[in-house]
Each structure stands twice: as structure tokens, then as C-alpha cells.
Amino acid sequence: MYMRPQAGIGMAIALMVLILVPLSGCIGPQEVAQRLLQRLEAEKRYEWRELLSDVQSFRFLDIVNTNAAKIERYPPLTVKEGTRYLHLHFNVSFSNLVNPEWRYVTTGYVNITIVDPAGVNRSRDFNALGMGNEYKEFFYFIDPLPGNWSITVTVRGIGEYTIFAQVYEPV
């Protein structure tokens, strides 16, 4: 199909209007390029993907080691480039050796340590003595660093914990 030169110029002007009008304002070429990239990036598809789901129980017999605790080191969680969110849910239920109904006489300790690919350490501690027998923690990372994230859980006492990690990443 043959197009007249005037039709090609008209289409180019129409295309420029369609692109530049939504991007217009008092901005320079760098900002126009940035806004255009943001609009194109908005069309990417993202999905939630489960990285880790585990349930562990711990007892007094598990703590016969130099740290007097059960230590669980999970395989590294691999986060892709362009991932928007990384969520980590942690829930621990401590139990009493004599009577599980005694909530505030429960003893136990938990430490959750997360190390990102840059080596930055994020850690939370909880001591159950006088605090109740339930502990829930939620870590929320926006635009997490791509690479391997390591998770270590240290627990003392009697009980059970669950851990769940997921990412919202490009498909």
C-alpha cells in the first residue's frame, strides 16, 4: 500500500501528540523519557510467588547444643530483579511443659534474623516470659534488593512456629 508523504507526516504528528500530550507539562526531555518509561513499565505483569512455607516444632530436647536453642537456617530466598514486594510472616506458639493453659507462666525465646544481599541484618527478638504464649511478626520490604536473602530462626522452649515468605515479582 502506497502512502502519500503528507499522510506520513500527519501520522507522525498524530503520534507525537498522542505521546507528548499525556507527558506534557513544564518538564525537560529527561523527565519526558522517565515518564514514558514509567508508563511502559506499568504494563508489566506481576504475580505473587511463594518462596518459603514451613512449620517446625521445638522441644527441650532440641536445645542440646552450645547455644541452648534450636537453630533453623533456611536455604537462601532468591529475589528477582524488578520485584516489588517481599513479605515474610512468622508466627510462634509457646507451650508450658506442665499445663498448656498457663499462658503467662510460659517461657520461651525466639530470634528471627534476615540478611539481605547487601549484608544488612534485620532481626527481631521475643521473650515469652510474662508476655503470653503467642508471637506474630511481619516483615514487609518494598522494592527488595535482587539476590539471595538468608533467614535464620533461633527458638528456645516448647512450641511450634510457622514461617511463610512470598514475593510480588514480574512474570
Side-chain angles (χ1 to χ4, degrees):
M1 179 173 142
Y2 173 74
M3 283 179 126
R4 292 180 309 198
Q6 293 87 4
I9 293 172
M11 287 184 70
I13 291 172
L15 185 61
M16 287 178 54
V17 168
L18 288 173
I19 291 174
L20 293 178
V21 167
L23 299 173
S24 66
C26 296
I27 58 174
Q30 189 173 17
E31 289 85 5
V32 169
Q34 184 179 11
R35 284 189 184 181
L36 186 58
L37 286 175
Q38 285 174 346
R39 288 190 186 252
L40 292 175
E41 185 176 293
E43 294 177 11
K44 282 186 185 177
R45 278 190 346 111
Y46 288 84
E47 288 183 1
W48 287 103
R49 181 173 64 100
E50 180 180 307
L51 294 179
L52 173 66
S53 182
D54 191 29
V55 177
Q56 292 281 328
S57 61
F58 51 97
R59 305 283 180 251
F60 279 125
L61 294 179
D62 294 330
I63 64 171
V64 182
N65 59 38
T66 57
N67 296 316
K70 179 178 181 175
I71 301 171
E72 194 70 37
R73 289 180 179 86
Y74 289 94
L77 307 179
T78 303
V79 174
K80 291 181 183 178
E81 181 77 37
T83 297
R84 294 281 175 115
Y85 308 109
L86 167 62
H87 294 167
L88 179 72
H89 303 267
F90 185 79
N91 184 23
V92 63
S93 298
F94 294 101
S95 183
N96 187 291
L97 181 62
V98 178
N99 185 350
E101 299 297 318
W102 295 349
R103 272 186 70 135
Y104 293 100
V105 190
T106 302
T107 60
Y109 166 81
V110 63
N111 173 276
I112 309 153
T113 302
I114 301 170
V115 181
D116 70 15
V120 176
N121 180 337
R122 291 163 182 89
S123 183
R124 299 284 193 286
D125 292 307
F126 177 77
N127 191 342
L129 184 59
M131 300 296 285
N133 61 351
E134 288 285 323
Y135 176 66
K136 295 181 181 186
E137 188 63 63
F138 181 71
F139 294 88
Y140 183 75
F141 300 99
I142 299 172
D143 297 326
L145 290 174
N148 292 328
W149 292 64
S150 66
I151 299 174
T152 304
V153 177
T154 305
V155 289
R156 288 187 201 116
I158 299 172
E160 181 178 272
Y161 74 83
T162 59
I163 187 168
F164 179 76
Q166 63 182 356
V167 290
Y168 190 62
E169 64 187 8
V171 192

